[in-house]
Structures are given as structure tokens and as C-alpha cells.
Amino acid sequence: MPSVKNPNGPSKNRLIARAASLRKQRQRESAQGKLEKIHKITKEDLARGARPGLLPNSGPRKALGKKAQRKLEKKLGYAIRRKMEREGLSKMEVEKVEEMMGIGKTSKKSAETEETTPAIKEVEMDFS
């Protein structure tokens, strides 16, 4: 009887493709483990799009938008103010500290005008 390969088994090409896909999978898992160890990126964050230098797109560690950052800064400022008042600092001292930290009641527009006004005065002084 001639030696014929079993027709029900996987073909040679299929075996090669399976081995290649397993090799790629092992390589990806190894790289993922390195990311977790070196860059401290968790599997959950990796699944949400985090990479070295990039935050995930969703979840608890996602990057905050500008509006949310401003709101958070305001809340932190109020918390600092309450803490200082609890410690017994006077209103004047609290206002000085707020002014230094930039968490006073200045709005975005007033901050912009404060920045542009001195520059305009300097230009006017240069021409006269």
C-alpha cells in the first residue's frame, strides 16, 4: 500500500500558519508584560488605549478635559482655603496665599486683560 498522508489532518500550510500565530501571540504577551513592569501600565489601561506617555481613553485614569481640570482646580482651591481658615490664618493671609497660588476669584477674562494691559503700557512708553 502506498504511503499517503491522512486526508483528515491539517495541511502543512495550516500547521505553519498556526505556529506563526502562536509565536506572534507569545511575542505580544511578552511585550505587554514588559509594558506593565517598565512603564507601570496595567492590562485594563492597555485595553483602553494607554501606551507609554499616553493615558487611557476611558476609565478612572483617563485624561481630564480642560473644563474638568478648571473645575478640579477650583475645588482644590476652595479646599485649601477651608483648611487655612481651620488652621486659623486671617483673611488677609488667606488672600495673599491665594494670590500667590493663582486660585483667587479672578475669571478667565480678567486674567487675560491683566496680562495684556502691562504689555500695552510698555509699548506706549516705547513710542513716546
Side-chain angles (χ1 to χ4, degrees), residues 59-109:
R61 284 180 289 280
K62 72 176 179 180
L64 287 176
K66 298 297 179 189
K67 185 175 182 179
Q69 283 178 351
R70 282 198 310 268
K71 286 183 173 184
L72 191 62
E73 286 174 8
K74 278 185 183 181
K75 288 179 182 180
L76 288 173
Y78 293 136
I80 290 170
R81 182 185 295 164
R82 285 193 303 270
K83 181 182 176 189
M84 287 190 293
E85 287 175 356
R86 258 186 278 134
E87 291 173 353
L89 295 175
S90 69
K91 282 232 182 215
M92 293 297 286
E93 292 171 330
V94 170
E95 289 174 3
K96 283 182 185 177
V97 172
E98 286 175 357
E99 199 173 298
M100 286 178 9
M101 294 177 69
I103 51 174
K105 292 185 178 180
T106 59
S107 67
K108 200 176 192 181
K109 290 180 182 176

Side-chain angles (χ1 to χ4, degrees), residues 9-125:
S11 69
K12 189 176 178 183
N13 287 341
R14 189 71 246 137
L15 289 171
I16 292 170
R18 184 186 300 160
S21 66
L22 289 172
R23 188 170 46 249
K24 287 177 191 173
Q25 186 178 357
R26 277 195 305 269
Q27 200 172 20
R28 277 195 305 264
E29 288 171 358
S30 174
Q32 185 177 10
K34 288 178 186 174
L35 280 176
E36 288 181 21
K37 289 178 185 174
I38 296 171
H39 300 290
K40 307 286 189 248
I41 300 173
T42 62
K43 283 184 183 177
E44 295 83 21
D45 287 347
L46 277 171
R48 294 185 184 115
R51 297 291 178 265
L54 290 176
L55 292 171
N57 298 325
S58 61
R61 284 180 289 280
K62 72 176 179 180
L64 287 176
K66 298 297 179 189
K67 185 175 182 179
Q69 283 178 351
R70 282 198 310 268
K71 286 183 173 184
L72 191 62
E73 286 174 8
K74 278 185 183 181
K75 288 179 182 180
L76 288 173
Y78 293 136
I80 290 170
R81 182 185 295 164
R82 285 193 303 270
K83 181 182 176 189
M84 287 190 293
E85 287 175 356
R86 258 186 278 134
E87 291 173 353
L89 295 175
S90 69
K91 282 232 182 215
M92 293 297 286
E93 292 171 330
V94 170
E95 289 174 3
K96 283 182 185 177
V97 172
E98 286 175 357
E99 199 173 298
M100 286 178 9
M101 294 177 69
I103 51 174
K105 292 185 178 180
T106 59
S107 67
K108 200 176 192 181
K109 290 180 182 176
S110 64
E112 289 175 5
T113 55
E114 288 176 16
E115 292 174 7
T116 56
T117 312
I120 293 170
K121 288 181 181 176
E122 289 177 8
V123 172
E124 290 174 4
M125 293 172 84

